Amino acid sequence: MDRITSAQVFVAIAERGSMIAAADALDMSRAMVTRYLAQMEDWAGARLLHRSTRRLSLTDAGERTLARCRAMLELADAIEVGPSDEADTPRGLLRITCSQSLAQAALAGAVSDYLRRYPHTSIDLQVNNRAVNLVEQRIDLALRITNALEPNLIARQLGNCASVVCAAPAYLAARGTPLRAADLAGHNCLTYSYFGKSLWQFSHAGESLSVPVSGNLSANEDLVLLAATVEGAGVSLQPLYSAAPLIAGGRLVALLPDHLPQQMGIYGIYTSRQHLPPALRAMLDHLLAWFAGHPSWLAHSGGAGG
């Protein structure tokens, strides 16, 4: 890890008396601060802090390390570094994680464009439907579709994702077509395990609606629910990017055209805003432009059928 950044983190902890305060001051995640401190203690070969419930204090080794870190930072500040096109060129490996459906619908194309534009970079794309620990798994960027980000995360909103309520023609023929949001109570609704399992959010006639739903199938991957919906298992709330081709082909029917499902934010999550690597900064900018250039992600659910 970067020794200069580790020194900055350690000095911030010592001066502010807590790792939380240091994280806030450095605009860095708490997990990243903890990792830098652990690395500093490995380098020093000693425990640097006494940890109590109220405040952190320096050990003798910590006092000596603090003096060395301050001297290192003073020396680093005294070195004038001129602008360098080479240093600003995106290069190196980026480890990115996202869900399977987002990887297929967006990342495959967006990442391919990125790699053509920045030939000195490479991507390790890890498909994972669970939130991962970026520090422990050495992830540079996690992409999530959510409206409930944890408050301590460092994130940049890259776009929005529209959704659509849909069902297969065979299911509707057997069970009838819901015409109002309240009608969903009488239907088998397939739900996503990690959010909105029993409550779907809509806007209708300028008002917000929260509709309780239930069913006999839930899953942690929306592609599984999409496949089950196509097979006639029930009604599901799907990302528009996944359902739109099936709706256009007649395999699914878009429901409740007067009810607009709540949009979800598409976020890029990373560990620190300080000294953002050029490759990661370029990827965030690239994804922001990519989602802006694909307005179909934001189409009204009622228009998904064409």
Side-chain angles (χ1 to χ4, degrees):
M1 297 180 72
D2 179 9
R3 289 179 182 265
I4 295 295
T5 304
S6 297
Q8 290 173 328
V9 169
F10 182 63
V11 170
I13 294 171
E15 292 179 346
R16 288 164 175 79
S18 81
M19 289 189 284
I20 294 175
D24 292 341
L26 296 172
D27 203 7
M28 186 179 289
S29 70
R30 296 172 193 175
M32 201 64 179
V33 166
T34 301
R35 186 179 174 192
Y36 275 116
L37 174 60
Q39 187 63 72
M40 182 63 76
E41 290 184 325
D42 285 345
W43 287 331
R47 180 177 289 275
L48 302 179
L49 296 171
H50 295 298
R51 297 166 173 82
S52 69
T53 55
R54 290 181 175 272
R55 188 174 175 85
L56 301 177
S57 59
L58 294 172
T59 64
D60 289 342
E63 293 282 3
R64 295 191 297 271
T65 301
L66 178 62
R68 294 189 186 110
C69 286
R70 284 174 170 158
M72 182 193 305
L73 295 177
E74 288 179 6
L75 179 61
D77 288 341
I79 299 174
E80 294 186 4
V81 179
S84 169
D85 292 338
E86 183 72 15
D88 291 336
T89 300
R91 61 178 65 249
L93 173 66
L94 281 179
R95 294 182 175 88
I96 302 174
T97 182
C98 69
S99 68
Q100 182 179 351
S101 63
L102 186 59
Q104 291 179 355
L107 266 292
V111 163
S112 297
D113 290 344
Y114 175 89
L115 292 172
R116 282 192 291 270
R117 184 173 181 182
Y118 302 109
H120 299 296
T121 63
S122 58
I123 303 293
D124 179 9
L125 182 57
Q126 301 183 16
V127 177
N128 195 323
N129 297 315
R130 289 185 176 274
V132 301
N133 186 304
L134 274 64
V135 175
E136 291 181 358
Q137 300 191 28
R138 300 176 63 197
I139 298 295
D140 298 298
L141 178 65
L143 297 175
R144 295 185 198 166
I145 299 178
T146 182
N147 280 337
L149 280 175
E150 295 88 339
N152 65 324
L153 291 178
I154 296 172
R156 180 177 178 184
Q157 185 166 359
L158 303 172
N160 290 291
C161 177
S163 300
V164 58
V165 179
C166 54
Y171 173 89
L172 299 174
R175 298 287 300 271
T177 300
L179 302 177
R180 300 174 305 160
D183 295 342
L184 293 173
H187 285 268
N188 192 48
C189 294
L190 315 182
T191 55
Y192 189 65
S193 301
Y194 294 145
F195 64 86
K197 183 173 182 179
S198 60
L199 209 62
W200 289 355
Q201 308 284 344
F202 298 92
S203 61
H204 174 63
E207 296 185 0
S208 297
L209 299 175
S210 297
V211 181
V213 297
S214 61
N216 60 8
L217 175 63
S218 64
N220 67 345
E221 170 52 55
D222 54 330
L223 287 179
V224 174
L225 297 178
L226 181 64
T229 306
V230 171
E231 292 298 320
V235 177
S236 67
L237 179 63
Q238 287 290 325
L240 184 61
Y241 63 79
S242 293
L246 295 166
I247 293 171
R251 300 182 68 191
L252 291 177
V253 177
L255 305 174
L256 305 176
D258 295 330
H259 292 72
L260 183 63
Q262 183 184 42
Q263 284 187 1
M264 308 293 284
I266 305 170
Y267 292 92
I269 300 166
Y270 45 102
T271 56
S272 175
R273 292 190 181 93
Q274 281 206 332
H275 309 300
L276 205 63
L280 178 54
R281 185 185 305 112
M283 175 58 78
L284 290 168
D285 292 342
H286 182 78
L287 290 173
L288 184 66
W290 193 94
F291 285 113
H294 290 73
S296 60
W297 283 59
L298 300 175
H300 189 291
S301 63

